[in-house]
Amino acid sequence: MIRKNVVVKGRVQGVGFRYIASSIASKYQVTGWVRNEYDGSVQMEVQGPEHRVELFLQEIAKGNRFARVDSMAVTDIPIVNVMKENQFRVRY
């Protein structure tokens, strides 16, 4: 089990990126959260088995026809108790 903090820059606000991230998180069954930042970036934390987190990050990096990911800063952070976090949420 690992947890990553991810800051994504590019065209990631106003294009449904947080909901894309939530959908991808559901696909790979990882937990965490995603939110827009005031500087135009998107920050997220994602937790799960290492291979699932890596697949999630690979798919996020691709963006889609609306969202464009220019860079992703990924750092390791301590895991959260799974009893306190059992889903991936969009934060406002």
Side-chain angles (χ1 to χ4, degrees), residues 12-73:
V12 291
Q13 287 194 17
V15 292
F17 185 81
R18 291 175 296 165
Y19 299 97
I20 294 165
S22 181
S23 176
I24 295 169
S26 179
K27 175 180 176 180
Y28 293 111
Q29 299 174 336
V30 295
T31 63
W33 53 265
V34 60
R35 72 175 177 217
N36 286 342
E37 296 294 337
Y38 290 109
D39 67 356
S41 66
V42 169
Q43 181 182 14
M44 64 181 90
E45 290 186 6
V46 60
Q47 176 172 303
E50 186 172 359
H51 69 283
R52 289 186 189 170
V53 171
E54 291 303 322
L55 290 169
F56 169 85
L57 294 174
Q58 289 173 15
E59 195 162 334
I60 286 290
K62 293 177 186 176
N64 68 10
R65 63 184 178 153
F66 303 110
R68 184 190 71 247
V69 175
D70 293 336
S71 68
M72 284 182 20

